[in-house]
Amino acid sequence: MRILQVSAELFPLLKTGGLADVAGALPRALLAAEQDVRVLLPGFPAIRDGVADAVQVAELAAPWGERVRLRLGRIRTEGAPDLQAYWIDAPWLYDRPGNPYEDAQRQPYGDNHRRFALLGFAAARIAHGLDAAWQPQVVHAHDWHAALAPAYMAFAPRHGHPRVGSVFTVHNLAYQGLFAPWDFADLGLPATAWGMDGLEYHGQLSFMKGGLGFADRITTVSPSYAREIQTPEQGCGLDGLLRRRTGVLSGILNAVDDQVWNPATDALLPHRFEPGQLAGKMRCKTALQAQLGLAPEAETPLFVVVSRLTEQKGLHLVLGGLDALLAQGGQLALLGSGDAGLERAFREQATAASRSVSVTLGYSEPLAHRLFGAGDVTLVPSLFEPCGLTQMYGLKYGSLPLVRRVGGLADTVVDATLEDMADGRATGFCFDSFDADGFGRALRRAFALYRRPADWDAVRASAMRRPADWGSAAARYLDIYAQALA
């Protein structure tokens, strides 16, 4: 099957969060399944520089009149086939300081509606024959940045080309791509694309609603989240639309890219390890404690956080529970950035207890790997979590996840109850109520299990052996693509 994947990020070229990991791993899993897959990306500098041998294959006019070029090259990965990649050559839109979405002052760029409408527009043009040498059978758009692809496909004339199916994946419904209503005029869509059954959302322009309303099939990144977003509590105002489209909505659990996240082969770890051979994990912990200035105490449980610092991620629960964590003899190592107040509060804690608390603001891929490699417990106490990859990395690296039982966290972590430990199913610690008491009780249970080394080792072994392969997920997506074509 010929498949075009469309996203704003793709690991290893450009990453601000878990979207990039999925957008990088799924196409390669599809290639391994002998599918004809290509990706379409905006021409951010990191993407432009990471696509080899790019040549111009087409030129097109954006809906607002600017002419842009479409280039095609290859993303090389050692030990794997090259991935064919289109990128949109429009440096005045994409070659800017800051991250892909915000300027250096963390303000969204004022023309983001154009920058990402162009991504969906180019996908629809490719679907309808822009590249004379290759035409997809299915376009798979990821998150709000690419969400207009199904809308453009729905309204564009096919000019005799065969029908192309569309699939839209919601990675996080809370980020919807909302813009002023007058920005709709830049999109080049007919007036019928506006309104309650179109892109209008409480008087605003919603990219997310375009993907949800016009895609042939909708997926999200875990079965639990697919159910949760159809409720008023987690539907972010779109639950009514999602309930109407429940017949085409599926939840497919994300997986872990074994080429990137594998403690037995991870070149970013100072020492490697695998289930049953964990001496390297202990050495990773000693090395990280030295690197971060933490007290060199091998028997102290090390709790790690790798996260955006936002209310959604439950980081205020970690802050509120930090005194109890330290009083019980634990250490905390955090990597992340986001809310200025949370950043400041965690920095203050690290200053006050520098031998027990380490805080690194920003993001570092090598440090993220080292944290999972060294950690005993990975904290993910989220208010909501579509899927979550952090807890999966924790499972893989034997850093037992402590999570709130919601979304993909509920689908991937089995609480260490006596009965699930007896059955060999337990893989971490879960709590239900999003409050200090729920988090604190889970924290105490983690300490209690840590003090029983034989039980801890058994749960850690179950966690590290939990299957999370992209091959199975890719097979599920192929079923969805076939439905989109039907």
Side-chain angles (χ1 to χ4, degrees):
M1 188 180 295
R2 297 185 305 278
I3 305 155
L4 180 66
Q5 300 271 331
V6 191
S7 65
E9 307 175 22
L10 184 142
F11 181 84
L13 305 187
L14 179 64
K15 174 177 174 175
T16 69
L19 168 64
D21 288 335
V22 176
L26 177 55
R28 295 205 176 280
L30 292 167
L31 282 177
E34 301 183 339
Q35 305 302 309
D36 184 359
V37 60
R38 297 185 179 187
V39 298
L40 171 66
L41 305 159
F44 297 120
I47 289 170
R48 176 198 66 206
D49 297 341
V51 179
D53 306 325
V55 297
Q56 181 176 326
V57 294
E59 186 173 304
L60 64 154
W64 53 89
E66 293 174 328
R67 297 203 69 79
V68 301
R69 295 180 176 89
L70 183 70
R71 300 190 183 276
L72 176 66
R74 296 176 294 138
I75 300 173
R76 295 175 174 143
T77 302
E78 187 175 348
D82 291 346
L83 176 61
Q84 297 287 303
Y86 295 103
W87 59 273
I88 301 167
D89 187 0
W92 60 94
L93 290 175
Y94 302 125
D95 192 351
R96 299 179 181 179
N99 75 21
Y101 317 111
E102 300 172 337
D103 62 22
Q105 285 70 49
R106 294 186 177 176
Q107 295 302 307
Y109 286 111
D111 59 350
N112 269 351
H113 68 288
R114 286 188 172 189
R115 299 169 80 223
F116 296 106
L118 184 58
L119 182 62
F121 180 75
R125 290 292 309 277
I126 295 170
H128 295 137
L130 179 65
D131 180 357
W134 189 86
Q135 184 181 11
Q137 294 168 280
V138 172
V139 171
H140 184 174
H142 292 269
D143 243 2
W144 75 261
H145 326 97
L148 289 192
Y152 279 119
M153 291 170 67
F155 286 100
R158 298 217 304 268
H159 298 302
H161 292 290
R163 182 184 175 278
V164 177
S166 62
V167 175
F168 176 60
T169 293
V170 180
H171 291 260
N172 192 333
L173 194 65
Y175 298 95
Q176 299 185 4
L178 295 176
F179 300 98
W182 47 84
D183 290 331
F184 179 78
D186 280 341
L187 304 187
L189 286 165
T192 49
W194 186 254
M196 190 189 333
D197 295 325
L199 305 183
E200 185 271 335
Y201 177 77
H202 298 288
Q204 293 178 287
L205 165 63
S206 170
F207 277 38
M208 178 70 77
K209 194 167 174 230
L212 297 176
F214 292 106
D216 294 316
R217 288 293 184 276
I218 304 165
T219 73
T220 191
V221 288
S222 73
S224 287
Y225 192 59
R227 294 188 294 271
E228 290 166 355
I229 60 176
Q230 297 180 65
T231 68
E233 292 77 20
Q234 294 212 37
C236 300
L238 294 168
D239 51 290
L241 172 58
L242 287 159
R243 285 194 298 275
R244 287 198 300 275
R245 303 218 68 201
T246 189
V248 300
L249 171 62
S250 304
I252 300 176
L253 196 63
N254 281 340
V256 173
D257 187 344
D258 199 56
Q259 300 300 308
V260 179
W261 296 96
N262 184 345
T265 59
D266 192 339
L268 296 177
L269 295 182
H271 307 280
R272 314 230 169 64
F273 57 90
E274 56 188 289
Q277 300 180 24
L278 294 172
K281 183 167 179 66
M282 293 304 299
R283 290 196 288 269
C284 283
K285 183 174 180 178
T286 300
L288 186 80
Q289 287 171 328
Q291 176 185 344
L292 299 180
L294 297 172
E297 298 172 359
E299 299 306 314
T300 292
L302 175 61
F303 293 77
V304 300
V305 174
V306 180
S307 178
R308 286 181 291 111
L309 304 186
T310 66
E311 189 79 7
Q312 176 219 327
K313 296 295 184 178
L315 275 305
H316 65 287
L317 296 179
V318 177
L319 267 175
L322 189 52
D323 287 345
L325 187 154
L326 299 180
Q328 294 174 82
Q331 295 178 339
L332 176 72
L334 178 145
L335 170 64
S337 62
D339 179 85
L342 285 171
E343 288 186 356
R344 183 171 56 254
F346 276 112
R347 275 201 311 266
E348 290 170 354
Q349 293 285 349
T351 300
S354 61
R355 299 291 278 169
S356 299
V357 179
S358 168
V359 171
T360 304
L361 298 180
Y363 184 75
S364 163
E365 190 76 10
L367 181 55
H369 283 246
R370 285 181 166 230
L371 287 168
F372 293 119
D376 296 301
V377 178
T378 298
L379 298 176
V380 197
S382 302
L383 173 63
F384 64 92
E385 194 64 65
C387 176
L389 291 170
T390 303
Q391 85 281 8
M392 293 196 194
Y393 301 151
L395 290 164
K396 188 94 172 175
Y397 284 63
S399 182
L400 301 185
L402 188 157
V403 306
R404 182 161 176 259
R405 203 185 329 255
V406 66
L409 303 175
D411 292 336
T412 53
V413 182
V414 178
D415 196 18
T417 60
L418 288 175
E419 58 269 32
D420 283 325
M421 289 169 61
D423 292 342
R425 297 179 62 248
T427 58
F429 312 96
C430 304
F431 66 100
D432 293 300
S433 56
F434 188 66
D435 55 31
D437 183 62
F439 177 73
R441 289 172 63 84
L443 198 65
R444 290 198 300 276
R445 289 192 293 111
F447 275 102
L449 189 66
Y450 191 79
R451 297 186 189 106
R452 294 158 55 186
D455 289 333
W456 182 274
D457 290 345
V459 173
R460 183 168 57 187
S462 297
M464 294 182 72
R465 291 190 173 97
R466 178 191 174 275
D469 64 292
W470 268 109
S472 299
R476 291 284 314 280
Y477 278 110
L478 286 171
D479 288 341
I480 298 295
Y481 300 156
Q483 295 169 22
L485 274 172

